[in-house]
Amino acid sequence: MNIDTINNSIQTQKEQLLNHPLYQKVQTMEDLHCFLENHVYAVWDFMSLLKALQSKLTCTTTPWFATPNPETRYLINEIVLAEESDLTLDGKRQSHFEMYLEAMQDCGASTLEIEAFLEQEHVTQNIFVSIKNSSLHPNIKAFLDFTFRTIEEGKAHEIAAAFTFGREDLIPSMFTQILKNFQRNFPETDLRKLIYYFERHIELDADDHGPKALQMVVELCENDDQKWQEVEAVSLLALEKRIGLWDAIEELISSREIVLN
């Protein structure tokens, strides 16, 4: 089994995501706000996948020791640098999550729910309790629960699978679809910060982080067929959870429209 085998296994789910009806549902500013206010959880939990990999594949404790693979070490640290302290449209240093929150606020979307969720996590100190007690759509809860269950299992190749096939390798094509929709439906609206966020991810993931993440999976699995099978299973589940997230946001937009009518 190898990368090509995984790509063949997940092709149906990838096509479902790239052709999801959600993209056509975002027609008004209220729709856009609904999208952003629910997608933001995926922007946030991505950082935990990344930091889990940093913990597994680099040395983040003292005394320091060199971890086995310098290339993988470099990849993770480079992505952490970009994700935690990239240059914004205004030339400031921010994490991509903070960029997203600022872009939400800039176009009138509310950040109160995600901020309350994060505050609750500070109180409970237990992400699973925070997810369960939240008022999020069940599919969004399932999406977050999958991320943190994968992290809790602690297998580096499985975390890398969720990170690579559920995020880095998928995002350029998926975000391109979202971006086209924004530019088509909101030509008169100032979405510069939001568009910058999506364009930055497309640029980084397509040209650099995506290919390196694939190489990371290869190095973590090598010729271990059991690991490759686990990567395949996690990758499929990651995409199914993302489809569930898109289904949830589409449902929330549709429900809001029914109430308005």
Side-chain angles (χ1 to χ4, degrees):
M1 194 174 283
N2 54 31
I3 292 293
D4 289 338
T5 310
I6 304 297
N7 277 326
N8 287 334
S9 296
I10 64 177
Q11 189 58 38
T12 299
Q13 286 77 9
K14 285 178 75 172
E15 286 175 5
Q16 272 185 267
L17 280 165
L18 296 180
N19 297 294
H20 200 283
L22 170 63
Y23 307 124
Q24 306 307 317
K25 277 282 183 182
V26 184
Q27 298 289 331
T28 68
M29 284 303 295
E30 289 75 18
D31 297 339
L32 177 60
H33 292 167
C34 184
F35 173 84
L36 299 175
E37 289 163 15
N38 290 283
H39 174 245
V40 67
Y41 293 92
V43 177
W44 171 72
D45 82 331
F46 169 82
M47 280 305 304
S48 291
L49 281 172
L50 176 57
K51 298 300 279 187
L53 282 171
Q54 187 181 37
S55 177
K56 292 285 179 187
L57 303 176
T58 75
C59 184
T60 58
T61 57
T62 56
W64 178 87
F65 296 97
T67 49
N69 192 305
E71 286 299 319
T72 301
R73 191 191 313 156
Y74 175 77
L75 163 72
I76 294 302
N77 285 331
E78 183 187 46
I79 297 177
V80 168
L81 177 65
E83 287 290 333
E84 285 195 318
S85 52
D86 203 5
L87 274 175
T88 68
L89 189 62
D90 304 327
K92 300 180 294 184
R93 289 288 176 187
Q94 274 187 340
S95 69
H96 285 182
F97 175 66
E98 290 165 314
M99 277 188 207
Y100 199 88
L101 290 182
E102 196 169 278
M104 287 175 66
Q105 293 164 343
D106 203 49
C107 73
S110 174
T111 58
L112 293 178
E113 286 192 13
I114 179 66
E115 288 166 355
F117 177 84
L118 297 181
E119 181 59 35
Q120 183 63 19
E121 167 54 18
H122 282 302
V123 172
T124 65
Q125 294 290 298
N126 185 319
I127 186 59
F128 300 107
V129 171
S130 297
I131 294 167
K132 183 179 179 181
N133 291 344
S134 75
S135 59
L136 293 169
H137 188 289
N139 287 15
I140 301 176
K141 289 185 178 186
F143 180 88
L144 291 171
D145 192 76
F146 165 75
T147 294
F148 289 99
R149 295 288 173 197
T150 303
I151 290 169
E152 189 176 51
E153 285 293 315
K155 294 182 180 179
H157 61 284
E158 292 187 344
I159 300 169
F163 177 84
T164 300
F165 295 102
R167 308 296 177 105
E168 294 293 79
D169 190 51
L170 174 70
I171 278 174
S173 298
M174 189 170 63
F175 277 14
T176 298
Q177 293 287 64
I178 293 170
L179 199 54
K180 284 179 183 174
N181 188 56
F182 288 170
Q183 291 167 329
R184 181 178 63 249
N185 291 339
F186 307 102
E188 308 292 323
T189 307
D190 184 0
L191 297 177
R192 282 176 297 174
K193 289 184 179 179
L194 189 61
I195 288 170
Y196 176 81
Y197 168 85
F198 283 107
E199 287 180 338
R200 186 72 177 131
H201 266 274
I202 291 165
E203 174 191 359
L204 286 172
D205 295 343
D207 297 338
D208 192 22
H209 295 170
K212 285 180 178 174
L214 291 169
Q215 184 59 35
M216 171 180 62
V217 173
V218 171
E219 289 169 0
L220 287 172
C221 292
E222 295 183 320
N223 297 316
D224 188 325
D225 196 52
Q226 178 65 32
K227 285 184 177 180
W228 279 111
Q229 288 176 26
E230 290 171 347
V231 163
E232 181 181 36
V234 168
S235 300
L236 284 165
L237 199 50
L239 293 176
E240 286 169 9
K241 297 301 180 185
R242 171 68 79 159
I243 292 167
L245 174 67
W246 268 193
D247 289 344
I249 300 175
E250 183 193 8
E251 181 185 320
L252 290 167
I253 291 173
S254 297
S255 298
R256 190 191 58 78
E257 289 170 352
I258 289 168
V259 170
L260 288 175
N261 290 332

